[in-house]
Amino acid sequence: MPFAQLVIGPPGSGKSTYCDGMHQFMSAVGRKCSIVNLDPANDRTSYPCALDIRDLVTLEEIMADEELGPNGGVLYALEELEHNVEWLQDGLEKLGEDYVLFDCPGQVELFTHHASLRNIFFRIQKLGYRLVALHLTDSYCLTLPSLYVSTLLLSLRSMLQLDLPHLNVLTKIDKISSYGPLPFDLEYYTEAQDLSDMMPHIQEENPVMRHPKFEGLNNAVIELVEDFGLVAFETLAVEDKKSMMTLLQAIDRAGGYAFGGAEGANDTVWQVAVRDGMRTMNVRDVQERWIDRKEEFDELERTQMEAEAKARERPLDEDDSVDEDEDEVEAMQRDFPDNGIQVVRRS
């Protein structure tokens, strides 16, 4: 049974960067992975593309032939793909049991109310794929209360539209400290509860929001999100291995991922760690790493990287390489409190 992630989100949220990073991470932990580009405007992918919608239709051709703008052209391209979904099905069959990442366009209409993308996903499900929708949002949205509330509404609408196992992810969390202090701890934003506490900050952001009609609208949106009780967020720093591991394990739980037969023989310590559920980062760890003590952790990582660079200058035998991997995992374990899970290296 193949598994797949549907990577959605507004422009600039880091979808292609995530696909590239997750592809590299999965390769490192021994999980065979392929990427499918569904964005007809993405003509310069940074990752190896196993299947590309631009082989079927390009945005430039649609805009010229149909006299459409960029947004209309992307919608038209997805409708074209829906009508020729056999092309996609044939390509996926050639990928076999590969774990697939679908890099989707950034037009929010596609995952809020336009039907083509959802219909394509349902056809993929019928091929036997276990799908997880991954909605990425730039963590900059936390810096503006009104933008955060809008993000909550967009995330909720996407969840209801796609009707699939779904995770919302705040990307670029390693940049959040550079935007200035937040009025609440990170956990408040990731849990999305007690949202009425946000109202004074929305009014402080823009005096117009103090008008009764805007106050009523904001209260209605907040109550709607809280009544559904569906929206919460994971966090991601795509260049940080601990962050990637934490997110991947959350995705595996959401999609019911079962490790295949190829994952078990000649495993590295990292492969065993991912499969056996090594201790990962919770939101308090993320707060400490990227907000409260970022400079201290950055300096520690620089010191470790310098030490690793010096170690690489001398030739390593196989035992030294294994010891390096084990030391790295043990160091990660010391960073976080014990949750009772042990990593066991298989003989």
Side-chain angles (χ1 to χ4, degrees):
M1 176 184 295
F3 292 78
Q5 297 176 27
L6 312 171
V7 185
I8 63 174
S13 58
K15 297 183 294 298
S16 294
T17 302
Y18 167 80
C19 288
D20 189 14
M22 183 56 74
H23 179 268
Q24 296 180 42
F25 187 79
M26 285 189 176
S27 299
V29 302
R31 192 179 300 188
K32 194 174 181 183
C33 174
S34 296
I35 305 178
V36 175
N37 176 38
L38 294 184
D39 186 356
N42 188 0
D43 59 347
R44 296 182 181 179
T45 57
S46 58
Y47 47 76
C49 195
L51 198 59
D52 193 340
I53 189 177
R54 292 179 61 84
D55 294 335
L56 175 69
V57 62
T58 67
L59 181 62
E60 295 80 8
E61 292 173 349
I62 293 174
M63 292 174 62
D65 296 343
E66 305 298 331
E67 298 183 353
L68 294 171
N71 287 343
V74 171
L75 297 180
Y76 187 98
L78 268 293
E79 291 173 355
E80 187 73 15
L81 177 60
E82 181 186 2
H83 294 149
N84 296 276
V85 73
E86 293 80 9
W87 172 86
L88 179 60
Q89 293 174 337
D90 293 341
L92 292 175
E93 289 176 359
K94 295 177 182 178
L95 299 181
E97 294 295 314
D98 284 15
Y99 194 115
V100 180
L101 306 175
F102 289 92
D103 187 6
C104 300
Q107 276 69 15
V108 297
E109 304 97 307
L110 290 169
F111 47 89
T112 57
H113 61 271
H114 194 272
S116 289
L117 195 61
R118 180 184 62 181
N119 294 340
I120 292 169
F121 291 162
F122 288 165
R123 291 292 294 271
I124 295 172
Q125 268 190 319
K126 291 182 179 179
L127 296 178
Y129 277 86
R130 296 286 296 272
L131 304 179
V132 176
L134 209 63
H135 186 185
L136 307 187
T137 304
D138 192 332
S139 60
Y140 179 79
C141 71
L142 306 185
T143 64
L144 296 173
S146 60
L147 184 56
Y148 174 67
V149 173
S150 299
T151 298
L152 292 173
L153 190 59
L154 176 61
S155 300
L156 176 60
R157 186 67 190 94
S158 302
M159 297 176 79
L160 298 177
Q161 168 76 2
L162 296 180
D163 194 25
L164 291 167
H166 192 113
L167 289 176
N168 300 301
V169 182
L170 295 171
T171 61
K172 309 176 188 177
I173 201 66
D174 50 325
K175 307 293 185 185
I176 191 66
S177 62
S178 65
Y179 302 141
L182 300 174
F184 302 99
D185 286 343
L186 187 60
E187 186 174 12
Y188 173 86
Y189 297 98
T190 59
E191 296 297 325
Q193 297 179 358
D194 300 320
L195 297 176
S196 58
D197 295 342
M198 186 67 68
M199 285 300 298
H201 298 280
I202 294 176
Q203 295 173 353
E204 182 179 347
E205 175 191 341
N206 189 340
V208 173
M209 294 298 176
R210 296 171 183 162
H211 192 282
K213 67 177 182 180
F214 288 109
E215 183 178 1
L217 176 61
N218 288 326
N219 279 323
V221 171
I222 286 173
E223 290 175 5
L224 177 67
V225 174
E226 289 185 329
D227 286 346
F228 274 95
L230 295 176
V231 181
F233 294 94
E234 303 289 335
T235 61
L236 176 65
V238 74
E239 296 182 354
D240 185 78
K241 287 187 287 189
K242 302 172 191 175
S243 182
M244 290 289 279
M245 178 182 288
T246 301
L247 180 59
L248 181 57
Q249 290 185 353
I251 295 168
D252 288 347
R253 289 193 299 269
Y257 179 80
F259 291 90
E263 297 180 55
N266 303 315
D267 285 349
T268 65
V269 172
W270 272 100
Q271 291 168 328
V272 174
V274 170
R275 180 171 55 255
D276 292 350
M278 196 186 76
R279 276 163 268 175
T280 51
M281 303 177 75
N282 60 38
V283 66
R284 293 182 181 87
D285 298 322
V286 177
Q287 170 90 28
E288 182 180 32
R289 170 62 184 91
W290 299 115
I291 300 177
D292 297 340
R293 299 171 57 195
K294 183 178 187 299
E295 294 182 359
E296 180 180 343
F297 275 95
D298 285 347
E299 180 61 31
L300 177 61
E301 287 189 359
R302 279 193 292 269
T303 302
Q304 292 174 342
M305 290 175 63
E306 291 174 359
E308 291 173 1
K310 291 179 181 178
R312 283 195 294 269
E313 292 177 357
R314 65 180 179 86
L316 296 176
D317 58 32
E318 184 177 351
D319 292 337
D320 289 335
S321 179
V322 170
D323 289 342
E324 268 196 3
D325 283 344
E326 290 176 341
D327 290 343
E328 184 174 8
V329 173
E330 289 174 1
M332 289 177 62
Q333 291 175 328
R334 289 194 299 268
D335 287 342
F336 306 111
D338 187 9
N339 66 356
I341 299 175
Q342 295 182 347
V343 178
V344 179
R345 183 165 180 82
R346 300 181 180 180
S347 58

